[in-house]
Amino acid sequence: MKRIFLLLSCVFLFLSFGCKHPDESDPNDWVTKSDWLFLFYFDADNNLNDEIYANMRQAEYALSLLRNPDGTAKEGCPTVTMVALWDGESKTDAQEYGNRYLHPAGAVYELGADYDLDYYVDEDNKFQAGIVYDKKLFNPDSLDSFSESDFFSNFDLFATPALFGDKFKVGANTIDRTELASWLISEPKMGDVSTLTNFLTWAKSHYSATHVVLCLGDHGAGTGKEQYTNTSASARTLCADDSSLDSERMLSTKNIRDALTKSGYTGACALDLLWMDVCLQSTVEIAYDLRGTASYLLASPNLSVSQEYSHAFKNLTTETTPLDFGKIMVSNYYHANYAETMPFDDDLPKTSGGSLFTQTLIDLDSAKLEAVKSAVDDLADALLSLKETDADRFNSVYEILLSQNTLDFSECTGLSYAGTYAILSDIGYFTDGILSQFSDQTGVCEAARSLQTALDTSQNGAIVYAYGSRRALSVDGSDVTENQMYMTGKTDFLTNETVETELSASYYGLTIETQNAESEESVMAMIAMYIKELTDEEPTSTTFDGLCEEFKNALVVSGYCSDKEAVLLIAELKNQLGAIDYVSHYEDYTGFSDKWASVIAAWYVASQSESE
């Protein structure tokens, strides 16, 4: 699962277009052409090593569905090239997380079709979704009755079986291009913008395609800034490299823009799809920050369970457009997760989060996202005007529609997800709440309708296609909505069948920050947990500052980081989490909207007054 971490946490492709092949005389003088080029930025240098490795093998299996053994495209299929930059987890960390498919050094692979792989279909899945495995090394009968629901009740079902054998390997038709990638160091820093830039620059010089997709696979942190660095321009939001405890530990949205520009993937050469196979990236802040970098953004507003690549790629045809492919990916998410609900855990922060399984396709057209920002600003103006005329009514908007009590699920409102540092509320659902609960406020309602228009795909808005599976409405998960939570147009793109949904509008699946994800008590509990993990002893401090001091000492003594790194880490931790409140200081994050920040600040002042 692509989960957030809180504190520390081939035979060569046959070319119907013709190309130059690498040779010993000039190994850098070659270009491969195809209909589609998929670039995978696989940052597996953390606890997701095995899952991201599985994604890479799924891609190899997908190519076996698209290519004949002689390398030609199968009838009706496009020519497809897949190139992956791999950085695996260290042996030391793997012992902690139990990952087995280790290749810690950086590598570049041109993926090939692997005909040794096969597909195990979940007999309970009406869409024939399942898992990829190596038919020479794994007996699928040992899974007995595979079910997605077992993911939560028995994680070992996924972690223990050696679906691809016991060791890291790639298919016989995959080509190792590492020696030709002179820019790649043995231990690449995947959170360093130069690594992404070098990969994209190298790929653009050697691969040409009609359609280009960049997939970033790893952890995601939503709109929250990463605690190891002080970034003011934008959020450090994804790709956590556990071998880098410094300012290059994660990528920011600005980093992504810069890498695409410097590598030449801009303007007429801009990406067709920016695919974030990570958590918590479908936010208005992130979409706006990435506007114009690609035609579309594929992301999740919640924790993201990784896509099953092969089930999606098998639907590629010569007629598939980038827009179609984005919809295929959303529909594929529905096929894999339609029967699942949001699991609850008494030990985790509570939000009124609808579904764990969410996926959104967003139009990154600059004009559309400027319209969204303008509509958010107008809604903020309307709310601030309400504050001046009726402060109690203004404060009740937050209490009735957005308030989250991370220690008591029963007191949560709205439709929200817990990010790394911030609660992210579905902005479309929020506008519905305004129209139903505050119909007497004409200005606020008018602004809410305008925002819905800017989001609504049926009105040429920014949300193209989105899905959220069923949600549980009680802590124990016993009270579950009967239908899927939402699917744009109530139609499954792959089957064209009607999907029964709880929410029928076309403007769900995009969030905005509304408050902090944690209370001070829960943050202290998390710090205490890490101290015990590092020292095998219970902490003695009972205050936030005291626990931070113990945490710093534990980091150094355990050898996790140097004294200087520990000091910087704790300083930034205190800066971001030292004054926890139930309404966040929005301006501390992406700065998407100064006006929305003013609304958040006003709600914060009100919450402080009430607590006193």
Side-chain angles (χ1 to χ4, degrees), residues 520 524 541-551 570 574 578:
E520 184 169 337
M524 289 172 64
S541 301
T542 58
T543 66
F544 182 79
D545 287 342
L547 283 171
C548 283
E549 184 66 23
E550 284 194 55
F551 189 25
I570 297 301
K574 287 185 175 182

Side-chain angles (χ1 to χ4, degrees), residues 396-470:
S396 67
V397 174
Y398 168 75
E399 294 296 335
I400 295 174
L401 302 179
L402 297 173
S403 177
Q404 300 291 308
N405 185 335
T406 60
L407 298 178
D408 187 352
F409 172 74
S410 64
E411 293 187 10
C412 296
T413 64
L415 179 56
S416 301
Y417 308 99
T420 303
Y421 297 111
I423 295 292
L424 307 172
S425 295
D426 189 288
I427 196 165
Y429 192 83
F430 174 53
T431 57
D432 272 351
I434 289 174
L435 295 174
S436 63
Q437 299 293 323
F438 295 89
S439 57
D440 58 318
Q441 301 300 322
T442 304
V444 176
C445 288
E446 182 178 339
R449 292 191 188 93
S450 295
L451 180 51
Q452 288 181 349
T453 298
L455 297 172
D456 193 344
T457 186
S458 67
Q459 301 188 63
N460 200 33
I463 297 178
V464 178
Y465 193 52
Y467 166 66
S469 71
R470 297 185 300 175

Side-chain angles (χ1 to χ4, degrees), residues 379-598:
L379 177 57
D381 281 338
L383 287 168
L384 291 172
S385 293
L386 176 60
K387 173 180 175 292
E388 295 305 315
T389 59
D390 191 340
D392 289 340
R393 193 69 167 145
F394 166 78
N395 295 332
S396 67
V397 174
Y398 168 75
E399 294 296 335
I400 295 174
L401 302 179
L402 297 173
S403 177
Q404 300 291 308
N405 185 335
T406 60
L407 298 178
D408 187 352
F409 172 74
S410 64
E411 293 187 10
C412 296
T413 64
L415 179 56
S416 301
Y417 308 99
T420 303
Y421 297 111
I423 295 292
L424 307 172
S425 295
D426 189 288
I427 196 165
Y429 192 83
F430 174 53
T431 57
D432 272 351
I434 289 174
L435 295 174
S436 63
Q437 299 293 323
F438 295 89
S439 57
D440 58 318
Q441 301 300 322
T442 304
V444 176
C445 288
E446 182 178 339
R449 292 191 188 93
S450 295
L451 180 51
Q452 288 181 349
T453 298
L455 297 172
D456 193 344
T457 186
S458 67
Q459 301 188 63
N460 200 33
I463 297 178
V464 178
Y465 193 52
Y467 166 66
S469 71
R470 297 185 300 175
R471 59 173 171 169
L473 302 177
S474 60
V475 174
D476 63 6
S478 60
D479 184 7
V480 178
T481 55
E482 181 178 355
N483 303 315
Q484 303 306 303
M485 187 165 60
Y486 58 81
M487 177 167 269
T488 300
K490 301 184 69 174
T491 303
D492 176 4
F493 180 75
L494 284 172
T495 66
N496 205 36
E497 295 177 347
T498 298
V499 178
E500 292 300 321
T501 63
E502 174 191 351
L503 307 172
S504 59
S506 299
Y507 43 79
Y508 302 115
L510 196 59
T511 61
I512 193 167
E513 184 188 329
T514 51
Q515 70 178 65
N516 277 340
E518 298 290 334
S519 67
E520 184 169 337
E521 292 81 5
S522 60
V523 172
M524 289 172 64
M526 186 66 72
I527 294 174
M529 180 192 74
Y530 279 118
I531 292 172
K532 185 174 181 180
E533 286 188 2
L534 292 169
T535 66
D536 290 326
E537 296 180 1
E538 295 287 349
T540 58
S541 301
T542 58
T543 66
F544 182 79
D545 287 342
L547 283 171
C548 283
E549 184 66 23
E550 284 194 55
F551 189 25
K552 182 191 72 175
N553 294 334
L555 288 168
V556 175
V557 172
S558 66
Y560 193 89
C561 60
S562 69
D563 185 71
K564 180 179 179 181
E565 290 168 337
V567 170
L568 291 174
L569 188 153
I570 297 301
E572 185 64 18
L573 177 62
K574 287 185 175 182
N575 179 48
Q576 295 195 32
L577 300 174
I580 292 296
D581 52 74
Y582 278 105
V583 185
S584 70
H585 298 282
Y586 183 84
E587 63 273 22
D588 286 347
Y589 296 96
T590 63
F592 162 69
S593 168
D594 290 339
K595 292 181 178 180
W596 183 252
S598 296

Side-chain angles (χ1 to χ4, degrees), residues 235-248:
R236 282 200 177 270
T237 186
L238 72 156
C239 292
D241 189 324
D242 278 5
S243 295
S244 303
L245 288 175
D246 54 26
S247 61
E248 286 80 37

Side-chain angles (χ1 to χ4, degrees), residues 156-312:
D156 287 344
L157 176 67
F158 289 75
T160 300
L163 299 177
F164 307 103
D166 287 321
K167 297 181 180 180
F168 183 101
K169 63 171 287 186
V170 291
N173 292 321
T174 286
I175 304 173
D176 191 335
R177 299 289 194 204
T178 306
E179 290 188 0
L180 300 182
S182 59
W183 47 271
L184 183 60
I185 61 176
S186 178
E187 177 45 59
K189 292 184 176 182
M190 300 295 276
D192 188 332
V193 64
S194 65
T195 305
L196 178 60
T197 302
N198 288 334
F199 173 57
L200 293 174
T201 301
W202 181 84
K204 196 170 192 308
S205 68
H206 292 301
Y207 298 94
S208 175
T210 305
H211 304 303
V212 181
V213 176
L214 171 62
C215 174
L216 300 167
D218 189 30
H219 283 296
T223 54
K225 287 196 301 186
E226 214 273 335
Q227 66 260 38
Y228 292 90
T229 187
N230 183 15
T231 303
S232 59
S234 67
R236 282 200 177 270
T237 186
L238 72 156
C239 292
D241 189 324
D242 278 5
S243 295
S244 303
L245 288 175
D246 54 26
S247 61
E248 286 80 37
R249 180 175 163 85
M250 293 189 79
L251 292 173
S252 72
T253 46
K254 180 179 183 299
N255 289 158
I256 297 171
R257 290 199 315 271
D258 290 346
L260 290 170
T261 299
K262 291 180 180 179
S263 63
Y265 284 112
T266 187
C269 296
L271 298 174
D272 290 282
L273 179 68
L274 177 54
W275 170 12
M276 291 190 172
D277 197 7
V278 301
C279 292
L280 299 162
Q281 302 301 290
S282 181
T283 79
V284 291
E285 297 94 341
I286 289 171
Y288 183 79
D289 215 13
L290 293 172
R291 65 194 184 281
T293 59
S295 296
Y296 303 101
L297 170 66
L298 180 69
S300 173
N302 197 12
L303 304 186
S304 178
V305 176
S306 180
Q307 288 272 6
E308 205 298 307
Y309 291 9
S310 56
H311 189 69

